[in-house]
Amino acid sequence: MKKFASLCFALASTATLADEGMWQPHQLPSIATKLVDAGLKLDPNSLTNLTSFPMGAIVSLGGCTASFVSDKGLVATNHHCVYGSIQYNSTEENNLLKNGFLAKSFSEELPATPGSRIYVTEEITPVTAIINAALTENMSGAERYKSIDKSSKSLVAECESDSKYRCSVVNFHGGLEYYLFKQLTIRDVRLVHAPASSVGKYGGDIDNWMWPRHTGDYGFYRAYVGKDGQPADYSEDNVPYEPKHHLKVNKSSVDEDDYIMVLGYPGRTNRYRTALEVENQFTWVYPQAKAYREEIIKLIHDNSAPGSDARIKYESTLASLANYAKNYGSMVESYNKGTTLERKKSLETELSSWINATDDRKDKYGEALKGLNTLIQKDQQTQARDLILGYLNYGKMLSTANRLYRLSQENTKPNIERKRGYQERDIARFEQGMKAVNRRYDAEIDQKIVLAMFKHYQQLPKAQRLKSLDKFFGLDKNFNQQEFKNKLEKMYAETKLNDQATRLAWMKKSSKDFENSNDPFIQLAIATSAERKQLEESGEELSGNIQSYRPKYMEALIAYFNSKNLPVYADANSTLRVTYGNVKGYSPQDGLIATPFTTLEGIVRKDTGVTPFDAPKKQLKLIENKQYGEYAKKELGSVPVNFLGTLDITGGNSGSPTLNDKAEFVGLVFDGVYESIIGDWDYDTKLNRSIHVDIKYMLWVMEHVDGATNLIEEMDIVE
């Protein structure tokens, strides 16, 4: 990893406290004292080296985090992170979601969902100066956007001259800083073990974000490479990857107040957004998105029986829809109860006063917030249309046709000029996505989703609708709902895009071939292509203009915090971060104290025998007989299941290893409590708590319920 100067960042609403913050590895020396005071036994500087222990054992799954826990490429993560692969390999006759899965040998391991990857970050390089060198003050928004895009692609292309790496340029603080991330990319990923959903999803959506919790949210992948030790596509001849570093598993777990930390890839937080953005998000975006998600969930439930082939195909989609629907609703509830908006407005008032206190600051930052908000308001004018068009993409035939036709257009350009997602570096994953469609698609359900979203689309002001889309379906004339439904049914009956071989063949065809096609979804993609591209270009113009204001606003905010001697960290953006704290309970409301551990007996008390509280009969019998093996915790008189920590996490941290003061594996973080759900926007030290699967529970289930002793023997287990 190249050395570069540390820059600290701070939270917008309050002074940073011991457990708050998602810290970049290079920032850790600046908070070394706090880490040691919290209980870290390692030298904090050791956490800055990406290729040494323990950072070298931490990996990204591209949406979740995971870690190597053996020298044979065994990867531990959350059950909900391997859920898509379990679903992909499940059938009505062999339902792995229901029954669980265990490979007792390498040969029994199953390919993960097509496109699955394991990313190992090896270098992070600052490239802000390179990106900014090509920018000028008088650029249009589109010119600025394209300049940043071109510079980023050039850096990525150079970085990826070695095909075993995947690189990306990521901005921090809306473009105030840019970093180039270089990741070793393992392309052969296989499912090794996952408990039954009655363990891995125990409590389901009812318990999601709640405490007390009793969920065994864990699963295992394995990384495979070619015989030469280099990343390779799936082959029966491939061998398990041997990582330079892997985590030791400490089966002693943790006690109350113990130091813990999570190394992972948190998805996205929004703690530096303006008051205008905050108010709109909680009063319009989240309520509307929640309603659309719940509508799609109901459609899937109403049109597929539990355990049926159709339901299995949509289980992963349902899990994602339900998780975020509950998340959005809970955040709105927290927002309405709290003072987030008032404090955000107060901060902006204080910031403005600070800026206007000197001519220099006024000249430098005076127009930043006003200019940014003007552009945000412009973006919000079409948000209803943009949200509906986004949810229409849940229609697999619609989105598949659009992507395939766009690929044919992009293929005519030099590789560096193609849109992201359509470059040569993207084709393998594009193809794997096309292969995966049929395991996530049912024609009847797909059609009903599209029909439902079109009903919302029809209610948009005519000026915001796509003229080409209206014309294709006759919405520009005297609209008849039954005629529209009939046309949609005919399209699904006639399309050949529901066939995998056909989809793969279209990847190699020209735009002319598409234009000569009589496939109805391809005809729709062609008819709307020009107008969709216009919307994309308008979005780029707006995005480019925002990129000229948001960095200046963030620069002002950082300077203001620094003037108050407040340490500062960047919003999460799916890059490698470290968060730390202690095992600790909390008081969710007056008169209630939540203790930091749950036990096996809590599983029995919740059990009804009906999903999602349907623990395996074998597990219930073991608990009844107090067959704890060597995993009981003396202080609890039982095996701990889940525990609470004060760590600052968000989506993307799912599957992150929970480490003790010596960086030993003691569990997996998988959720947060209900009261901290608004933490993506507004942090509260008293209520923010992370939920972790205790290693003792993982090992107990693996040994006594599932018989996964081969994996226990493979891991380095210490006490």
Side-chain angles (χ1 to χ4, degrees):
M1 176 178 166
K2 297 185 179 179
K3 294 183 181 273
F4 49 91
S6 279
L7 177 63
C8 290
F9 303 101
L11 177 67
S13 58
T14 60
T16 302
L17 299 174
D19 309 324
E20 180 189 325
M22 302 176 190
W23 302 93
Q24 294 165 263
H26 75 270
Q27 291 183 280
L28 298 180
S30 69
I31 59 167
T33 301
K34 289 185 176 181
L35 289 166
V36 173
D37 288 347
L40 178 65
K41 296 290 196 299
L42 298 178
D43 178 357
N45 290 306
S46 68
L47 299 175
T48 65
N49 190 334
L50 301 182
T51 58
S52 68
F53 179 83
M55 302 302 282
I58 311 304
V59 300
S60 169
L61 301 178
C64 281
T65 303
S67 56
F68 290 120
V69 290
S70 87
D71 59 3
K72 294 298 181 184
L74 187 65
V75 172
T77 187
N78 283 156
H79 182 274
H80 73 262
C81 294
V82 302
Y83 197 76
S85 293
I86 310 170
Q87 177 265 319
Y88 181 81
N89 285 288
S90 291
T91 63
E92 196 167 345
E93 297 75 28
N94 184 25
N95 191 339
L96 303 182
L97 289 170
K98 179 180 179 181
N99 303 323
F101 173 74
L102 171 64
K104 294 291 284 187
S105 65
F106 293 158
S107 62
E108 295 177 1
E109 295 171 358
L110 299 174
T113 309
S116 297
R117 298 287 188 272
I118 291 174
Y119 301 99
V120 187
T121 300
E122 292 190 357
E123 289 183 16
I124 304 174
T125 307
V127 293
T128 309
I130 297 173
I131 298 291
N132 288 344
L135 302 178
T136 63
E137 289 292 331
N138 58 357
M139 277 181 163
S140 68
E143 288 170 338
R144 176 176 288 271
Y145 178 91
K146 289 174 181 175
S147 175
I148 295 171
D149 187 56
K150 181 180 179 181
S151 297
S152 298
K153 285 178 181 175
S154 296
L155 287 164
V156 166
E158 181 181 358
C159 180
E160 291 182 351
S161 58
D162 185 336
S163 62
K164 68 183 179 183
Y165 290 104
R166 184 80 172 183
C167 303
S168 59
V169 173
V170 184
N171 78 68
F172 290 71
H173 292 303
L176 182 62
E177 292 184 318
Y178 291 86
Y179 292 92
L180 176 67
F181 286 76
K182 184 176 182 179
Q183 297 177 307
L184 179 72
T185 303
I186 297 171
R187 306 193 298 273
D188 186 351
V189 183
R190 304 188 196 180
L191 181 65
V192 178
H193 172 50
S197 290
S198 53
V199 171
K201 282 192 70 179
Y202 190 74
D205 296 329
I206 295 172
D207 267 9
N208 194 15
W209 297 99
M210 307 305 287
W211 186 262
R213 197 73 171 272
H214 301 83
T215 309
D217 199 345
Y218 69 88
F220 292 89
Y221 278 140
R222 193 182 304 278
Y224 278 78
V225 292
K227 289 183 177 179
D228 60 357
Q230 300 302 309
D233 293 329
Y234 174 86
S235 169
E236 291 184 2
D237 295 330
N238 285 350
V239 296
Y241 173 66
E242 297 183 2
K244 294 177 182 176
H245 303 282
H246 67 275
L247 301 175
K248 291 182 178 180
V249 175
N250 191 318
K251 68 178 181 182
S252 297
S253 185
V254 289
D255 296 316
E256 187 169 3
D257 294 325
D258 276 1
Y259 174 91
I260 51 174
M261 62 182 174
V262 155
L263 317 182
Y265 292 81
R268 188 158 300 279
T269 55
N270 304 282
R271 294 175 185 168
Y272 299 102
R273 296 294 181 175
T274 69
L276 180 65
E277 291 173 292
V278 169
E279 185 171 19
N280 179 70
Q281 192 73 22
F282 285 91
T283 60
W284 191 86
V285 177
Y286 282 151
Q288 196 62 59
K290 177 177 181 289
Y292 290 157
R293 285 176 175 270
E294 290 173 340
E295 184 175 3
I296 295 173
I297 290 170
K298 187 175 187 305
L299 282 171
I300 296 171
H301 281 155
D302 290 348
N303 292 279
S304 62
S308 66
D309 185 59
R311 177 65 66 84
I312 289 170
K313 286 178 176 179
Y314 281 89
E315 285 290 5
S316 183
T317 302
L318 282 169
S320 176
L321 287 166
N323 180 54
Y324 281 100
K326 185 168 186 177
N327 178 288
Y328 296 164
S330 301
M331 282 211 277
V332 170
E333 183 178 335
S334 295
Y335 171 83
N336 289 334
K337 287 180 178 178
T339 59
T340 301
L341 183 61
E342 289 80 358
R343 284 181 288 108
K344 181 66 71 172
K345 288 180 176 178
S346 176
L347 171 66
E348 290 180 4
T349 299
E350 293 170 10
L351 176 64
S352 295
S353 296
W354 179 81
I355 289 172
N356 292 323
T358 71
D359 290 338
D360 286 346
R361 292 201 291 258
K362 190 173 181 180
D363 290 342
K364 192 172 184 179
Y365 308 124
E367 296 298 315
L369 180 58
K370 180 181 177 182
L372 180 58
N373 278 338
T374 298
L375 294 167
I376 290 166
Q377 287 173 321
K378 183 178 180 181
D379 189 30
Q380 292 172 359
Q381 290 172 3
T382 58
Q383 63 184 0
R385 177 200 66 198
D386 297 339
L387 191 64
I388 291 170
L389 292 179
Y391 276 90
L392 268 172
N393 284 324
Y394 275 95
K396 289 287 187 184
M397 294 299 97
L398 254 175
S399 58
T400 297
N402 288 342
R403 292 184 67 213
L404 285 169
Y405 182 52
R406 181 61 179 270
L407 178 64
S408 73
Q409 295 174 307
E410 295 296 327
N411 280 342
T412 64
K413 304 175 185 177
N415 185 53
I416 197 72
E417 295 178 13
R418 297 177 195 173
K419 288 292 178 184
R420 296 182 190 189
Y422 299 93
Q423 292 182 285
E424 291 171 3
R425 67 196 290 267
D426 305 310
I427 296 304
R429 294 201 72 179
F430 191 106
E431 179 179 333
Q432 289 164 334
M434 290 294 117
K435 289 179 178 178
V437 167
N438 286 74
R439 292 303 304 150
R440 304 279 174 86
Y441 166 79
D442 175 86
E444 181 182 358
I445 293 174
D446 201 76
Q447 181 178 332
K448 289 183 182 297
I449 291 172
V450 171
L451 187 63
M453 290 301 107
F454 258 105
K455 288 180 181 178
H456 297 299
Y457 170 80
Q458 290 161 224
Q459 296 170 8
L460 289 170
K462 194 168 184 179
Q464 287 198 23
R465 301 210 305 249
L466 276 64
K467 293 182 177 61
S468 57
L469 192 60
D470 286 359
K471 183 177 180 180
F472 186 89
F473 284 110
L475 305 181
D476 55 340
K477 301 175 182 177
N478 294 325
F479 176 73
N480 182 290
Q481 183 69 39
Q482 188 58 48
E483 288 180 5
F484 175 77
K485 185 177 179 182
N486 292 342
K487 179 160 186 174
L488 207 56
E489 287 177 355
K490 187 178 180 183
M491 290 175 67
Y492 277 91
E494 294 179 354
T495 188
K496 298 296 187 294
L497 293 179
N498 53 11
D499 174 69
Q500 177 178 302
T502 300
R503 292 192 299 274
L504 296 180
W506 276 113
M507 286 183 62
K508 299 177 177 64
K509 295 188 178 182
S510 68
S511 296
K512 191 69 175 176
D513 293 326
F514 277 82
E515 290 160 11
N516 291 330
S517 171
N518 59 4
D519 188 290
F521 281 99
I522 289 178
Q523 291 176 338
L524 175 58
I526 293 169
T528 59
S529 175
E531 197 167 6
R532 284 186 288 109
K533 191 173 182 182
Q534 287 176 2
L535 293 182
E536 183 180 285
E537 289 172 350
S538 296
E540 290 174 358
E541 170 72 20
L542 182 61
S543 178
N545 284 325
I546 288 175
Q547 285 169 331
S548 69
Y549 279 100
R550 197 180 294 278
K552 186 64 67 177
Y553 169 68
M554 290 308 306
E555 187 179 357
L557 198 56
I558 290 167
Y560 171 65
F561 285 132
N562 286 341
S563 73
K564 292 179 169 291
N565 295 316
L566 295 175
V568 191
Y569 57 86
D571 264 325
N573 56 3
S574 298
T575 59
L576 186 58
R577 304 293 181 93
V578 177
T579 178
Y580 69 99
N582 302 91
V583 177
K584 195 178 292 293
Y586 75 121
S587 177
Q589 56 183 285
D590 184 44
L592 290 180
I593 298 293
T595 58
F597 291 95
T598 57
T599 65
L600 292 180
E601 282 63 32
I603 295 174
V604 177
R605 294 189 189 98
K606 283 184 177 179
D607 193 78
T608 63
V610 179
T611 305
F613 297 104
D614 56 341
K617 295 282 191 290
K618 181 179 181 180
Q619 185 185 47
L620 294 174
K621 190 69 174 176
L622 288 165
I623 299 172
E624 179 185 347
N625 294 334
K626 298 187 182 300
Q627 291 181 242
Y628 304 143
E630 58 182 310
Y631 303 112
K633 193 174 186 63
K634 183 179 179 181
E635 298 83 352
L636 300 175
S638 182
V639 177
V641 177
N642 296 152
F643 64 86
L644 292 172
T646 60
L647 305 186
D648 188 359
I649 63 165
T650 189
N653 272 127
S654 290
S656 295
T658 306
L659 307 181
N660 65 11
D661 53 11
K662 295 184 287 294
E664 295 167 334
F665 186 102
V666 292
L668 291 164
V669 68
F670 69 97
D671 207 354
V673 297
Y674 185 84
E675 293 77 17
S676 66
I677 204 166
I678 200 172
D680 285 357
W681 296 80
D682 189 12
Y683 188 92
D684 187 333
T685 296
K686 292 180 180 178
L687 296 177
N688 187 84
R689 292 295 182 271
S690 49
I691 306 177
H692 309 248
V693 186
D694 197 296
I695 187 59
K696 284 181 175 291
Y697 182 60
M698 286 177 60
L699 294 173
W700 181 80
V701 174
M702 290 170 68
E703 180 176 340
H704 295 282
V705 180
D706 289 335
T709 51
N710 56 311
L711 301 184
I712 295 175
E713 291 170 1
E714 181 180 339
M715 296 185 286
D716 291 337
I717 298 181
V718 299
E719 289 191 69

